[in-house]
Coordinates of all heavy atoms in Angstrom, one line a residue:
M1 N -23.7 25.6 -11.4 CA -22.9 24.5 -10.8 C -21.5 24.6 -11.4 O -21.3 24.9 -12.6 CB -23.5 23.2 -11.2 CG -24.8 22.9 -10.3 SD -24.5 22.6 -8.6 CE -23.6 21.1 -8.6
A2 N -20.6 24.2 -10.7 CA -19.1 24.2 -11.2 C -19.1 23.0 -12.1 O -19.9 22.1 -12.1 CB -18.2 24.2 -10.0
Q3 N -17.9 22.9 -12.8 CA -17.6 21.7 -13.6 C -17.6 20.5 -12.7 O -17.3 20.6 -11.5 CB -16.3 21.8 -14.4 CG -16.0 23.2 -15.0 CD -15.2 24.0 -14.0 OE1 -15.7 24.3 -12.9 NE2 -14.1 24.4 -14.5
A4 N -17.8 19.4 -13.3 CA -17.7 18.1 -12.7 C -16.3 17.9 -12.1 O -15.3 18.4 -12.7 CB -18.1 16.9 -13.5
Q5 N -16.2 17.4 -10.9 CA -15.0 17.3 -10.3 C -14.7 15.8 -10.2 O -15.5 14.9 -10.0 CB -15.0 17.8 -8.9 CG -15.2 19.3 -8.8 CD -14.2 20.0 -8.0 OE1 -13.9 19.5 -6.8 NE2 -13.7 21.1 -8.3
S6 N -13.4 15.5 -10.4 CA -13.1 14.1 -10.3 C -13.1 13.6 -8.9 O -12.9 14.2 -8.0 CB -11.5 13.9 -10.8 OG -10.9 12.8 -10.3
A7 N -13.5 12.3 -8.8 CA -13.6 11.7 -7.4 C -12.2 11.1 -7.0 O -12.2 10.5 -5.9 CB -14.7 10.6 -7.4
A8 N -11.2 11.3 -7.8 CA -9.9 10.6 -7.4 C -9.5 11.3 -6.1 O -9.6 12.5 -5.9 CB -8.9 11.0 -8.5
P9 N -8.9 10.4 -5.3 CA -8.4 10.9 -3.9 C -7.4 12.0 -4.0 O -7.4 12.9 -3.2 CB -7.8 9.6 -3.3 CG -7.6 8.7 -4.4 CD -8.5 9.0 -5.5
A10 N -6.6 12.1 -5.0 CA -5.6 13.1 -5.1 C -5.3 13.5 -6.6 O -5.2 12.6 -7.4 CB -4.2 12.6 -4.5
P11 N -5.2 14.7 -6.9 CA -4.9 15.2 -8.3 C -3.5 14.7 -8.5 O -2.6 14.5 -7.7 CB -4.9 16.7 -8.1 CG -4.9 17.0 -6.7 CD -5.3 15.9 -5.9
E12 N -3.2 14.5 -9.9 CA -2.0 13.9 -10.4 C -0.8 14.7 -10.0 O 0.3 14.1 -9.8 CB -2.1 13.7 -11.9 CG -1.4 12.5 -12.2 CD -2.1 12.0 -13.6 OE1 -3.2 11.4 -13.6 OE2 -1.5 12.1 -14.7
N13 N -0.9 16.0 -9.9 CA 0.2 16.8 -9.5 C 0.4 17.0 -8.0 O 1.4 17.5 -7.6 CB 0.1 18.2 -10.2 CG -1.1 18.9 -9.7 OD1 -2.0 18.3 -9.0 ND2 -1.3 20.2 -10.1
A14 N -0.3 16.3 -7.1 CA -0.2 16.4 -5.7 C 0.9 15.5 -5.4 O 1.0 14.4 -5.9 CB -1.4 16.0 -5.0
P15 N 1.6 15.8 -4.3 CA 2.7 14.9 -3.9 C 2.1 13.6 -3.4 O 1.0 13.6 -2.8 CB 3.5 15.6 -2.8 CG 2.6 16.7 -2.4 CD 1.6 17.0 -3.5
F16 N 2.7 12.6 -3.7 CA 2.2 11.2 -3.2 C 2.8 10.9 -1.8 O 4.0 10.5 -1.7 CB 2.6 10.1 -4.2 CG 2.1 8.8 -3.8 CD1 0.8 8.5 -4.2 CD2 2.8 7.7 -3.5 CE1 0.2 7.2 -3.9 CE2 2.3 6.5 -3.2 CZ 1.0 6.2 -3.4
E17 N 2.1 11.1 -0.8 CA 2.6 11.0 0.6 C 2.4 9.5 1.0 O 1.3 9.1 1.5 CB 1.8 11.8 1.5 CG 1.9 13.4 1.2 CD 3.4 13.9 1.6 OE1 4.2 13.1 2.2 OE2 3.6 15.1 1.4
V18 N 3.3 8.7 0.8 CA 3.1 7.3 0.8 C 2.7 6.8 2.3 O 1.8 5.9 2.3 CB 4.3 6.5 0.4 CG1 5.6 6.6 1.2 CG2 4.0 5.0 0.1
E19 N 3.2 7.5 3.3 CA 2.9 7.1 4.6 C 1.3 7.3 4.9 O 0.7 6.5 5.4 CB 3.7 7.8 5.6 CG 3.7 7.1 7.0 CD 4.9 7.6 7.9 OE1 5.7 8.2 7.5 OE2 4.7 7.3 9.1
Q20 N 0.9 8.5 4.5 CA -0.5 8.8 4.6 C -1.4 7.9 3.8 O -2.5 7.5 4.1 CB -0.7 10.3 4.1 CG -0.4 11.2 5.3 CD -0.5 12.7 4.8 OE1 -1.3 13.0 3.9 NE2 0.3 13.6 5.4
V21 N -0.9 7.6 2.5 CA -1.8 6.8 1.6 C -1.8 5.4 2.3 O -2.9 4.9 2.3 CB -1.1 6.7 0.1 CG1 -1.7 5.6 -0.7 CG2 -1.2 8.1 -0.5
F22 N -0.7 4.9 2.7 CA -0.7 3.6 3.4 C -1.8 3.6 4.5 O -2.5 2.7 4.7 CB 0.7 3.2 3.8 CG 0.6 1.7 4.2 CD1 1.1 0.7 3.3 CD2 0.2 1.3 5.5 CE1 1.0 -0.6 3.6 CE2 0.1 -0.1 5.8 CZ 0.5 -1.0 4.9
A23 N -1.6 4.6 5.5 CA -2.5 4.7 6.6 C -4.0 4.7 6.2 O -4.9 4.0 6.8 CB -2.1 5.8 7.5
G24 N -4.3 5.5 5.2 CA -5.6 5.7 4.7 C -6.2 4.5 4.1 O -7.4 4.2 4.0
T25 N -5.4 4.0 3.2 CA -5.9 3.0 2.3 C -5.6 1.5 2.6 O -6.4 0.6 2.4 CB -5.2 3.2 0.9 OG1 -5.3 4.6 0.5 CG2 -5.8 2.3 -0.2
C26 N -4.5 1.2 3.3 CA -4.1 -0.1 3.7 C -4.3 -0.4 5.2 O -4.3 -1.5 5.6 CB -2.7 -0.3 3.2 SG -2.2 0.5 1.6
G27 N -4.2 0.8 5.9 CA -4.1 0.7 7.4 C -5.2 0.0 8.0 O -5.2 -0.7 9.1
F28 N -6.4 -0.1 7.4 CA -7.6 -0.7 7.9 C -7.3 -2.2 8.1 O -7.8 -2.9 9.0 CB -8.7 -0.6 6.9 CG -10.0 -1.2 7.2 CD1 -10.7 -0.9 8.3 CD2 -10.5 -2.3 6.3 CE1 -11.9 -1.5 8.7 CE2 -11.6 -2.9 6.7 CZ -12.3 -2.5 7.9
C29 N -6.4 -2.8 7.3 CA -6.2 -4.2 7.3 C -4.7 -4.5 7.7 O -4.4 -5.6 8.3 CB -6.4 -4.9 6.0 SG -8.2 -4.8 5.5
H30 N -3.9 -3.6 7.4 CA -2.4 -3.8 7.8 C -2.1 -2.8 8.9 O -1.8 -1.6 8.6 CB -1.5 -3.6 6.5 CG -1.8 -4.6 5.5 ND1 -1.3 -5.9 5.6 CD2 -2.5 -4.6 4.3 CE1 -1.8 -6.6 4.5 NE2 -2.4 -5.7 3.7
S31 N -2.1 -3.3 10.1 CA -2.1 -2.4 11.2 C -0.7 -1.6 11.5 O 0.2 -2.2 11.0 CB -2.4 -3.2 12.5 OG -3.7 -3.7 12.4
D32 N -0.8 -0.5 12.2 CA 0.3 0.2 12.6 C 1.3 0.5 11.4 O 2.6 0.2 11.5 CB 1.1 -0.5 13.7 CG 2.0 0.5 14.4 OD1 2.0 1.7 14.2 OD2 2.9 0.0 15.2
G33 N 0.7 1.0 10.3 CA 1.6 1.3 9.2 C 2.2 0.1 8.4 O 3.1 0.3 7.7
G34 N 1.6 -1.2 8.7 CA 2.2 -2.3 8.1 C 3.2 -3.0 9.1 O 3.7 -4.1 8.8
R35 N 3.3 -2.4 10.3 CA 4.2 -3.0 11.3 C 3.7 -4.3 12.1 O 4.3 -5.0 12.6 CB 4.7 -2.0 12.3 CG 5.5 -1.0 11.7 CD 5.9 0.2 12.8 NE 6.6 1.2 12.2 CZ 6.1 2.2 11.4 NH1 4.8 2.3 11.1 NH2 6.9 3.2 11.0
A36 N 2.2 -4.3 12.0 CA 1.6 -5.4 12.8 C 0.6 -6.1 12.0 O 0.0 -5.5 11.0 CB 1.1 -4.8 14.0
A37 N 0.2 -7.3 12.3 CA -0.8 -7.9 11.6 C -2.2 -7.2 12.0 O -2.3 -6.9 13.2 CB -0.9 -9.4 12.0
G38 N -3.0 -7.4 11.1 CA -4.4 -6.9 11.4 C -5.4 -7.9 10.8 O -5.2 -9.2 10.9
K39 N -6.3 -7.4 9.9 CA -7.1 -8.3 9.1 C -6.1 -9.0 8.1 O -6.3 -10.1 7.6 CB -8.2 -7.6 8.3 CG -9.3 -7.0 9.1 CD -10.2 -6.2 8.3 CE -11.3 -5.5 9.0 NZ -12.3 -6.4 9.5
G40 N -5.1 -8.3 7.7 CA -4.1 -8.8 6.8 C -2.7 -9.0 7.6 O -2.6 -8.6 8.8
P41 N -1.7 -9.6 7.0 CA -0.5 -10.0 7.6 C 0.4 -8.8 7.9 O 0.2 -7.7 7.2 CB 0.1 -10.9 6.7 CG -0.4 -10.6 5.3 CD -1.8 -10.1 5.5
Q42 N 1.3 -8.9 8.8 CA 2.3 -7.9 9.0 C 3.2 -7.8 7.7 O 3.4 -8.8 7.1 CB 3.2 -8.3 10.2 CG 4.4 -7.5 10.2 CD 5.3 -7.9 11.5 OE1 4.9 -8.3 12.4 NE2 6.7 -7.9 11.1
L43 N 3.5 -6.5 7.3 CA 4.3 -6.4 6.1 C 5.7 -6.1 6.4 O 6.6 -6.4 5.6 CB 3.7 -5.2 5.2 CG 2.2 -5.5 4.9 CD1 1.7 -4.4 4.0 CD2 2.0 -6.9 4.1
M44 N 6.0 -5.5 7.6 CA 7.4 -5.2 7.9 C 8.1 -6.5 8.0 O 7.7 -7.6 8.4 CB 7.4 -4.6 9.4 CG 8.8 -4.3 9.8 SD 8.7 -3.3 11.4 CE 8.1 -4.6 12.5
N45 N 9.5 -6.5 7.4 CA 10.1 -7.7 7.3 C 9.6 -8.8 6.5 O 9.8 -10.0 6.7 CB 10.6 -8.2 8.7 CG 11.4 -7.2 9.5 OD1 12.1 -6.4 9.0 ND2 11.2 -7.3 10.8
S46 N 8.8 -8.5 5.5 CA 8.2 -9.5 4.7 C 9.3 -10.2 4.0 O 10.2 -9.7 3.4 CB 7.3 -8.9 3.6 OG 6.8 -9.8 2.8
P47 N 9.1 -11.7 4.0 CA 10.1 -12.4 3.3 C 9.7 -12.5 1.8 O 10.6 -13.1 1.0 CB 9.8 -13.9 3.9 CG 8.4 -13.9 4.5 CD 8.2 -12.4 4.8
R48 N 8.7 -11.9 1.4 CA 8.2 -11.9 -0.1 C 9.2 -11.1 -0.9 O 9.8 -10.1 -0.4 CB 6.8 -11.4 -0.2 CG 5.8 -12.0 0.7 CD 5.5 -13.3 0.3 NE 4.3 -13.8 1.0 CZ 3.6 -14.9 0.8 NH1 4.2 -15.9 -0.2 NH2 2.4 -15.2 1.3
D49 N 9.3 -11.4 -2.1 CA 10.2 -10.5 -3.1 C 9.4 -9.4 -3.6 O 8.0 -9.3 -3.4 CB 10.9 -11.3 -4.1 CG 10.0 -12.0 -5.2 OD1 8.9 -11.5 -5.2 OD2 10.4 -12.9 -5.8
D50 N 10.1 -8.3 -4.2 CA 9.3 -7.2 -4.6 C 8.4 -7.5 -5.6 O 7.2 -6.8 -5.6 CB 10.4 -6.2 -5.2 CG 11.3 -5.4 -4.1 OD1 11.1 -5.8 -2.9 OD2 12.1 -4.6 -4.5
D51 N 8.6 -8.4 -6.5 CA 7.6 -8.7 -7.5 C 6.3 -9.2 -7.0 O 5.2 -8.9 -7.4 CB 8.1 -9.8 -8.5 CG 9.1 -9.2 -9.5 OD1 9.1 -7.9 -9.6 OD2 9.8 -9.9 -10.2
F52 N 6.5 -10.1 -5.9 CA 5.3 -10.6 -5.2 C 4.4 -9.5 -4.6 O 3.3 -9.3 -4.7 CB 5.7 -11.6 -4.2 CG 4.5 -12.2 -3.4 CD1 4.0 -13.4 -3.9 CD2 3.9 -11.5 -2.4 CE1 2.8 -14.0 -3.2 CE2 2.8 -12.1 -1.7 CZ 2.3 -13.2 -2.1
I53 N 5.1 -8.6 -3.9 CA 4.5 -7.5 -3.2 C 3.8 -6.6 -4.3 O 2.6 -6.2 -4.1 CB 5.5 -6.7 -2.3 CG1 5.9 -7.6 -1.2 CG2 4.9 -5.4 -1.8 CD1 6.9 -7.0 -0.4
R54 N 4.5 -6.3 -5.3 CA 3.9 -5.4 -6.3 C 2.7 -6.1 -6.9 O 1.6 -5.4 -7.0 CB 4.9 -5.3 -7.5 CG 5.1 -3.8 -7.9 CD 6.2 -3.7 -8.9 NE 7.4 -3.2 -8.3 CZ 8.7 -3.9 -8.5 NH1 8.8 -4.9 -9.2 NH2 9.7 -3.3 -7.9
S55 N 2.7 -7.3 -7.2 CA 1.6 -8.0 -7.9 C 0.4 -8.1 -6.9 O -0.7 -8.0 -7.2 CB 1.9 -9.2 -8.6 OG 2.2 -10.3 -7.7
R56 N 0.8 -8.4 -5.6 CA -0.3 -8.5 -4.6 C -1.1 -7.1 -4.5 O -2.3 -7.1 -4.4 CB 0.2 -8.9 -3.2 CG -0.8 -8.9 -2.1 CD -1.9 -10.0 -2.3 NE -1.6 -11.2 -1.7 CZ -1.5 -12.4 -2.4 NH1 -1.8 -12.4 -3.7 NH2 -1.1 -13.4 -1.8
I57 N -0.3 -6.0 -4.5 CA -1.0 -4.8 -4.5 C -1.9 -4.5 -5.7 O -3.0 -4.0 -5.6 CB 0.0 -3.6 -4.3 CG1 0.8 -3.8 -2.9 CG2 -0.6 -2.3 -4.3 CD1 2.0 -2.8 -2.8
K58 N -1.3 -4.8 -6.8 CA -2.1 -4.6 -8.1 C -3.3 -5.4 -8.2 O -4.4 -5.1 -8.5 CB -1.2 -4.9 -9.3 CG -0.3 -3.9 -9.7 CD 0.3 -4.1 -11.0 CE 1.1 -2.9 -11.6 NZ 1.4 -3.1 -12.9
L59 N -3.2 -6.8 -7.9 CA -4.1 -7.8 -8.1 C -5.0 -8.1 -6.9 O -6.0 -8.7 -7.1 CB -3.5 -9.1 -8.8 CG -2.6 -8.8 -10.0 CD1 -2.0 -10.1 -10.5 CD2 -3.5 -8.1 -11.1
G60 N -4.5 -7.8 -5.8 CA -5.2 -8.2 -4.5 C -5.2 -9.7 -4.4 O -4.5 -10.4 -5.0
K61 N -6.2 -10.1 -3.6 CA -6.4 -11.6 -3.4 C -7.9 -11.7 -3.1 O -8.4 -11.1 -2.3 CB -5.6 -12.0 -2.2 CG -5.9 -13.4 -2.0 CD -4.7 -14.3 -1.7 CE -5.2 -15.7 -1.4 NZ -4.0 -16.5 -0.9
Q62 N -8.5 -12.6 -4.1 CA -9.9 -12.6 -4.0 C -10.4 -13.0 -2.6 O -9.9 -14.0 -2.0 CB -10.4 -13.7 -5.1 CG -11.9 -13.5 -5.3 CD -12.3 -14.4 -6.5 OE1 -11.6 -15.2 -7.0 NE2 -13.5 -14.0 -7.0
G63 N -11.3 -12.3 -2.1 CA -12.0 -12.6 -0.8 C -11.1 -12.2 0.4 O -11.5 -12.4 1.6
A64 N -9.9 -11.5 0.1 CA -9.1 -11.2 1.2 C -8.7 -9.8 1.1 O -8.7 -8.9 2.0 CB -7.8 -12.1 1.3
M65 N -8.1 -9.3 -0.1 CA -7.6 -8.0 -0.2 C -8.0 -7.5 -1.6 O -8.0 -8.2 -2.6 CB -6.1 -8.1 -0.1 CG -5.4 -6.8 -0.4 SD -3.6 -6.9 -0.1 CE -3.1 -5.6 -1.2
P66 N -8.5 -6.2 -1.6 CA -8.9 -5.6 -2.9 C -7.8 -5.3 -3.8 O -6.6 -5.3 -3.3 CB -9.6 -4.3 -2.4 CG -9.0 -4.0 -1.0 CD -8.7 -5.2 -0.4
A67 N -8.0 -5.4 -5.0 CA -6.9 -5.0 -6.1 C -6.8 -3.5 -6.2 O -7.9 -2.8 -6.1 CB -7.4 -5.6 -7.4
F68 N -5.6 -3.0 -6.3 CA -5.5 -1.6 -6.4 C -4.8 -1.2 -7.8 O -4.4 0.0 -8.0 CB -4.4 -1.1 -5.3 CG -5.1 -1.2 -3.9 CD1 -4.9 -2.3 -3.2 CD2 -5.9 -0.1 -3.5 CE1 -5.5 -2.4 -1.9 CE2 -6.5 -0.2 -2.2 CZ -6.4 -1.4 -1.4
D69 N -4.9 -2.1 -8.7 CA -4.5 -1.8 -10.1 C -5.6 -0.7 -10.5 O -6.8 -0.8 -10.3 CB -4.7 -3.1 -11.0 CG -4.0 -2.9 -12.3 OD1 -3.1 -2.1 -12.3 OD2 -4.2 -3.8 -13.1
G70 N -5.1 0.4 -11.1 CA -6.0 1.5 -11.4 C -6.0 2.6 -10.4 O -6.2 3.7 -10.7
A71 N -5.9 2.2 -9.1 CA -5.9 3.2 -8.1 C -4.6 3.9 -7.9 O -4.5 5.1 -7.7 CB -6.2 2.5 -6.7
F72 N -3.5 3.1 -8.3 CA -2.1 3.7 -8.3 C -1.5 3.4 -9.5 O -1.6 2.4 -10.2 CB -1.3 3.0 -7.1 CG -1.9 3.1 -5.7 CD1 -2.2 2.0 -5.0 CD2 -2.2 4.3 -5.2 CE1 -2.8 2.0 -3.7 CE2 -2.8 4.5 -3.9 CZ -3.1 3.3 -3.2
T73 N -0.5 4.3 -9.9 CA 0.4 4.2 -11.1 C 1.4 3.2 -10.6 O 1.7 2.9 -9.4 CB 1.0 5.5 -11.5 OG1 1.9 5.9 -10.4 CG2 0.0 6.6 -11.8
D74 N 2.2 2.6 -11.6 CA 3.4 1.8 -11.3 C 4.4 2.4 -10.5 O 4.9 1.9 -9.5 CB 4.0 1.2 -12.6 CG 3.1 0.1 -13.3 OD1 2.1 -0.2 -12.7 OD2 3.5 -0.2 -14.4
A75 N 4.6 3.7 -10.7 CA 5.6 4.4 -10.0 C 5.1 4.6 -8.5 O 5.9 4.5 -7.6 CB 5.8 5.9 -10.6
Q76 N 3.8 4.7 -8.3 CA 3.4 4.9 -6.9 C 3.4 3.5 -6.1 O 3.7 3.5 -5.0 CB 1.8 5.4 -6.9 CG 1.8 6.9 -7.3 CD 0.4 7.4 -7.6 OE1 -0.5 6.6 -7.9 NE2 0.1 8.6 -7.4
I77 N 3.2 2.5 -7.0 CA 3.2 1.1 -6.3 C 4.7 0.9 -5.9 O 5.0 0.3 -4.9 CB 2.7 0.1 -7.3 CG1 1.2 0.2 -7.3 CG2 3.0 -1.4 -6.8 CD1 0.4 -0.7 -8.3
D78 N 5.6 1.3 -6.7 CA 7.1 1.2 -6.4 C 7.4 1.9 -5.1 O 8.2 1.5 -4.2 CB 8.0 1.7 -7.5 CG 8.1 0.8 -8.7 OD1 7.7 -0.4 -8.6 OD2 8.6 1.1 -9.7
L79 N 6.7 3.1 -5.0 CA 7.0 3.9 -3.7 C 6.5 3.1 -2.5 O 7.0 3.1 -1.4 CB 6.4 5.2 -3.8 CG 7.1 6.3 -4.7 CD1 6.2 7.5 -4.9 CD2 8.5 6.5 -4.2
I80 N 5.3 2.4 -2.8 CA 4.7 1.7 -1.6 C 5.6 0.5 -1.3 O 5.8 0.2 -0.1 CB 3.2 1.2 -2.0 CG1 2.4 2.5 -2.2 CG2 2.7 0.3 -0.9 CD1 1.0 2.0 -2.7
V81 N 6.2 -0.2 -2.3 CA 7.0 -1.3 -2.1 C 8.3 -0.8 -1.2 O 8.8 -1.4 -0.2 CB 7.5 -2.0 -3.4 CG1 8.6 -3.0 -3.1 CG2 6.3 -2.6 -4.1
K82 N 8.8 0.3 -1.7 CA 9.9 1.0 -0.9 C 9.5 1.3 0.5 O 10.4 1.0 1.5 CB 10.4 2.2 -1.6 CG 11.3 2.0 -2.8 CD 12.2 3.3 -3.0 CE 12.9 3.1 -4.3 NZ 12.4 4.1 -5.4
Y83 N 8.4 1.8 0.7 CA 7.9 2.1 2.1 C 7.9 0.9 2.9 O 8.3 0.8 4.0 CB 6.5 2.7 1.9 CG 5.8 2.8 3.2 CD1 5.9 3.8 4.2 CD2 4.9 1.7 3.6 CE1 5.2 3.8 5.3 CE2 4.2 1.7 4.7 CZ 4.4 2.8 5.6 OH 3.7 2.8 6.8
I84 N 7.3 -0.3 2.3 CA 7.2 -1.5 3.1 C 8.5 -2.0 3.5 O 8.8 -2.5 4.6 CB 6.5 -2.5 2.3 CG1 4.9 -2.2 2.2 CG2 6.6 -3.9 2.8 CD1 4.1 -2.9 1.2
R85 N 9.5 -1.9 2.6 CA 10.8 -2.4 2.7 C 11.6 -1.6 3.9 O 12.5 -2.1 4.5 CB 11.7 -2.2 1.4 CG 11.3 -3.3 0.4 CD 11.7 -4.6 0.8 NE 11.3 -5.6 -0.2 CZ 10.8 -6.8 0.1 NH1 10.6 -7.2 1.3 NH2 10.5 -7.7 -0.9
A86 N 11.3 -0.3 3.9 CA 12.0 0.5 4.9 C 11.3 0.6 6.2 O 11.8 1.2 7.2 CB 11.9 2.0 4.3
L87 N 10.2 -0.3 6.5 CA 9.6 -0.2 7.7 C 10.5 -0.8 8.8 O 11.2 -1.8 8.7 CB 8.3 -1.2 7.7 CG 7.1 -0.5 7.0 CD1 5.9 -1.6 6.9 CD2 6.5 0.7 7.8
K88 N 10.4 -0.1 10.0 CA 11.2 -0.4 11.2 C 10.2 -0.4 12.3 O 9.3 0.3 12.3 CB 12.2 0.6 11.4 CG 13.3 0.7 10.3 CD 14.4 -0.2 10.6 CE 15.6 -0.1 9.7 NZ 15.2 -0.1 8.2
P89 N 10.5 -1.2 13.4 CA 9.7 -1.1 14.6 C 9.7 0.4 15.1 O 10.7 1.0 15.0 CB 10.3 -2.0 15.6 CG 11.2 -2.9 14.8 CD 11.7 -2.1 13.5
R90 N 8.6 0.8 15.7 CA 8.6 2.2 16.2 C 9.5 2.2 17.4 O 9.7 1.3 18.2 CB 7.1 2.5 16.6 CG 6.3 2.7 15.5 CD 4.9 3.3 15.8 NE 3.9 3.3 14.8 CZ 3.8 4.1 13.8 NH1 4.7 5.1 13.7 NH2 2.9 4.0 12.9
E91 N 10.1 3.4 17.7 CA 11.0 3.7 18.7 C 10.1 3.7 20.0 O 9.0 4.1 20.0 CB 11.7 5.0 18.6 CG 12.4 5.1 17.3 CD 13.8 4.6 17.4 OE1 14.5 5.0 18.4 OE2 14.3 4.0 16.4
G92 N 10.7 3.4 21.2 CA 10.1 3.5 22.4 C 9.2 2.3 22.6 O 8.2 2.4 23.4
Ligands
LIG1 C1 -9.6 -5.3 3.2 C2 -8.4 -5.6 3.9 C3 -7.1 -5.2 3.1 C4 -6.7 -4.0 2.6 C5 -7.5 -2.7 2.5 C6 -5.3 -4.1 2.1 N1 -4.9 -5.4 2.3 FE1 -3.1 -6.2 1.8 N2 -3.7 -8.0 2.5 C7 -5.0 -8.3 3.0 C8 -4.9 -9.7 3.4 C9 -6.1 -10.5 4.1 C10 -3.7 -10.3 2.9 C11 -3.4 -11.7 2.9 C12 -3.7 -12.4 1.6 C13 -3.2 -13.8 1.5 O1 -4.0 -14.6 2.1 O2 -2.3 -14.1 0.8 C14 -3.0 -9.2 2.3 C15 -1.8 -9.3 1.8 C16 -0.9 -8.3 1.5 C17 0.4 -8.4 1.0 C18 1.2 -9.8 0.9 C19 1.8 -10.0 2.2 C20 2.3 -11.4 2.3 O3 3.4 -11.6 2.9 O4 1.7 -12.3 1.7 C21 0.9 -7.1 0.7 C22 2.2 -6.8 0.2 C23 -0.3 -6.2 0.9 N3 -1.3 -7.0 1.4 C24 -0.1 -4.9 0.8 C25 -1.3 -4.0 0.9 C26 -1.3 -2.6 0.5 C27 0.0 -1.9 0.0 C28 -2.4 -2.1 0.7 C29 -2.9 -0.8 0.5 C30 -2.7 -0.2 -0.9 C31 -3.3 -3.2 1.2 N4 -2.5 -4.4 1.3 C32 -4.7 -3.2 1.5 C33 -5.9 -7.4 3.4 C34 -5.9 -6.1 2.9

């Protein structure tokens, strides 16, 4: 048998593809890349400030959204916040 392999979704040196991560991890509840409401609210044009968004991702909300503290580094969470801020309606 080969050595034990980490179950982590991506090795630390892999590029962090925020759009793919969002689609795979958050898209189940935040539809269309965060552009539309699903089980969770629409994130595009969120009136929340960055600190709120950051802490919601880290801590989740009991009974509503899982906590992702530990799943992502602070730097990765910053990239997710930037991604949410940059969301625009799809063309066409
Ligand atoms: C199991 C469903 C689920 C998943 C998966 C999920 N969320 Fe959520 N999310 C929710 C729900 C439900 C809320 C609303 C919570 C509340 O009542 O404040 C929410 C709220 C949020 C908010 C706050 C929005 C606001 O205006 O209050 C942000 C930001 C957010 N989610 C980001 C993410 C990100 C980023 C991911 C992936 C890393 C993610 N969510 C994964 C269900 C989910």
Side-chain angles (χ1 to χ4, degrees):
M1 286 296 287
Q3 317 91 302
Q5 294 228 321
S6 157
E12 216 151 286
N13 57 356
F16 186 73
E17 299 285 357
V18 66
E19 198 167 345
Q20 281 176 26
V21 169
F22 191 97
T25 309
C26 321
F28 177 64
C29 297
H30 297 285
S31 298
D32 197 12
R35 292 172 183 83
K39 290 173 186 290
Q42 173 184 317
L43 301 179
M44 182 173 66
N45 297 330
S46 173
R48 310 285 197 176
D49 65 21
D50 286 6
D51 283 346
F52 180 95
I53 291 178
R54 224 176 262 128
S55 74
R56 174 66 90 236
I57 295 169
K58 279 193 171 190
L59 306 177
K61 172 136 181 192
Q62 198 169 14
M65 175 171 154
F68 292 94
D69 201 13
F72 302 124
T73 64
D74 284 357
Q76 289 171 334
I77 290 176
D78 281 351
L79 289 174
I80 296 172
V81 174
K82 278 203 191 113
Y83 164 86
I84 288 170
R85 289 293 181 218
L87 281 171
K88 298 268 186 305
R90 288 192 195 277
E91 307 268 317

